[in-house]
Amino acid sequence: MKLTLAALLLAACGACSSMPAQADDDGVVYGAGNQSCGKWMEARRAGDFFNYAPLVDWTQGFITAASMAGLRLKQANGADVRGFLDEYCERNPGEKINDAAYHLTMALRY
């Protein structure tokens, strides 16, 4: 049941996005996860809430889906997610938010 719910949540999230899906070796990424870490850093440096907030929301949805699919994760609030994205994206500006969300999820495992 949890896996089915997580799959439905991910599908609904992708259906709501106007951004095209991009395939890679790990599957298809929908929505804001396709944005680059460089875009994250630009928005954060400019204090552009309306461009970085959706990336935080997408990342929280990613880790929520991972939790719903059965991964045991520590709690992470919005400030935790922003801090992780700041650090990860500063070091990896060419990576995507999807990559950062994956690494955050792995860091939250227990």
Side-chain angles (χ1 to χ4, degrees), residues 37-38 40-41 45 84-94:
C37 276
W40 166 264
M41 295 308 299
R45 287 184 182 125
F84 185 91
L85 290 174
D86 285 343
E87 290 178 20
Y88 183 88
C89 289
E90 183 71 37
R91 291 188 315 269
N92 304 285

Side-chain angles (χ1 to χ4, degrees), residues 1-104:
M1 177 67 175
K2 285 184 179 183
L3 185 56
T4 303
L5 181 58
L8 288 173
L9 288 172
L10 287 173
C13 179
C16 294
S17 174
S18 62
M19 294 182 65
Q22 183 171 344
D24 62 18
D25 293 341
D26 296 323
V28 179
V29 177
Y30 295 93
N34 283 309
Q35 290 292 320
S36 72
C37 276
K39 292 285 186 187
W40 166 264
M41 295 308 299
E42 287 175 20
R44 288 290 280 167
R45 287 184 182 125
D48 187 354
F49 176 81
F50 293 104
N51 279 317
Y52 74 73
L55 302 178
V56 173
D57 291 343
W58 190 93
T59 302
Q60 288 178 310
F62 184 101
I63 59 178
T64 297
S67 176
M68 298 289 294
L71 285 180
R72 294 180 49 135
L73 303 176
K74 299 174 214 160
Q75 291 286 333
N77 60 30
D80 297 330
V81 171
R82 288 188 301 276
F84 185 91
L85 290 174
D86 285 343
E87 290 178 20
Y88 183 88
C89 289
E90 183 71 37
R91 291 188 315 269
N92 304 285
E95 296 290 320
K96 294 183 178 181
I97 295 299
N98 178 64
D99 300 313
Y102 170 80
H103 288 285
L104 174 57

